[in-house]
Amino acid sequence: MKIAIHHTPGTFSNRWIQHCQQHGIDYQIVNCFDQHIIPQLSGFDALMWHYYHDDFKASLCAKQLLFSLEQRGMVVFPNFYSNWHFDDKVGQKYLMEAFQAPLIPSYVFYDKQEAIGWARTTTYPKVFKIRRGAASANVRLVRNYEECIKLINQAFGRGFGQFDPIEAFKDRIRNFRESKDIMELAKGVGRFFRKPDYARKAGRDLGYAYFQDFIPGNDFDIRLIVIGNRAYGMKRKVRAGDFRASGSGHFVYDDIGEDILRIGFEVSKRMKLQCVAYDFVYHGDIPLIVEISFGFGIKGSSKCKGYWDSDLVWHAGDFNPQGWMVDAVQDEIMRRKNS
């Protein structure tokens, strides 16, 4: 059994490699951008690649390479079911609705006049998003009809870039009030003159408009991560003076409600997801899914005090979720060899 790992420092691959070394698992680091990657993977049983939303180069080929290998019979992480909707909020809307998962009511329009007609009759506030991006990038609270029309006009006009320097600078100001890190604030000023690499290359989002209902009364959202038959999670406080929790960096390690755990395990099983991070908010007593992703930040989850199994039994103590991913890949290899 041999596993190929595309290594990007600071991603899951750090812990994948460490787990393989600690447990004597045969692995090799490969370069998935190599022109001859397909023949180079001959003799391997699996490929693991944690790519992320702002890696423009990976966005050109990661899904295509992984699915091509999966079609050929190789075990991959993430697999097609976990991966196709990554960094695609509109795709997630369709998926959640198809499986009748408890998604926040969401609306997508591909016709400007239809969007305007909806804007006249809907209630406010609403939340506007573009399909790509993480950490609440390009997520805006729409307070009234006038603001909604302005966003619709832009969506069907010049569109939206992947990076908003004004909103990003506001975030850095909020963080500066706590960290007092003047260099981080200075970097925010620099972004007005030079956008991040992915934002310069990725082009603009236009030709559609996507909204979700705004769910009031939430001081935090809940990040639940389900990997196979285990799950863990935390609460993320809403940013000061804002309505968004994603990207706030403020984590609370309280108990996660059984209702959310049950939804997470059930939806993951029905959708055949290897690994998924759910963002939940409550509408009264009802948990609703905001977004999902196979990839997630490591910083917050590294301090969780334990995890639940699929029977909702709590297991206290340290754990390595990236190690679970390697174990799941090994289990799938063995299952196929024994079938």
Side-chain angles (χ1 to χ4, degrees), residues 45 67-76 336:
D45 298 289
F67 185 51
S68 297
L69 293 168
E70 190 174 6
Q71 275 198 304
R72 194 182 71 178
M74 179 178 279
V75 176
V76 299
R336 294 187 185 185

Side-chain angles (χ1 to χ4, degrees), residues 299-314:
K299 179 181 177 182
S301 61
S302 65
K303 297 180 181 179
C304 288
K305 301 174 183 178
Y307 66 90
W308 292 267
D309 62 31
S310 56
D311 293 321
L312 307 191
V313 176
W314 171 252

Side-chain angles (χ1 to χ4, degrees), residues 227-245:
I227 304 172
N229 293 319
R230 288 173 282 199
Y232 63 99
M234 73 290 294
K235 296 176 181 177
R236 303 183 299 183
K237 290 184 178 180
V238 169
R239 310 176 195 202
D242 202 343
F243 72 100
R244 299 168 296 174

